[in-house]
Amino acid sequence: MAQAFEWGALLRAGIRGAGLKPHEFWRLTPAELMLILGVDGQGRAFSRGRLDALLAQYPDEAVKGESDGGI
């Protein structure tokens, strides 16, 4: 089972710790937030195997009424 993401802790760090406004926090990329919080070196790029594992765990869901691109 996947662990829940700690949004509360991340929000506190960004808003209280770094002094961001909520709209500033939500516009950040994860890399920008980690840089602001002083966290660097958070790992390497995904390997193909890791990407495949994530795709299997969180498959895209077709949007109702959206075509599969076929002719």
Side-chain angles (χ1 to χ4, degrees), residues 43-56:
R44 305 165 302 214
F46 281 160
S47 67
R48 182 62 200 202
R50 179 67 177 130
L51 178 59
D52 288 341
L54 284 172
L55 289 171

Side-chain angles (χ1 to χ4, degrees), residues 2-70:
Q3 250 184 316
F5 194 76
E6 298 281 339
W7 283 109
L10 201 54
L11 278 165
R12 279 189 295 283
I15 294 172
R16 289 185 190 163
L20 297 170
K21 294 182 175 92
H23 73 275
E24 294 170 330
F25 173 86
W26 290 112
R27 289 184 180 154
L28 291 172
T29 66
E32 291 169 331
L33 182 58
M34 295 298 109
L35 182 65
I36 288 170
L37 296 176
V39 180
D40 47 290
Q42 287 298 303
R44 305 165 302 214
F46 281 160
S47 67
R48 182 62 200 202
R50 179 67 177 130
L51 178 59
D52 288 341
L54 284 172
L55 289 171
Q57 187 174 3
Y58 302 102
D60 288 339
E61 295 179 19
V63 176
K64 189 173 184 173
E66 188 174 278
S67 142
D68 66 359

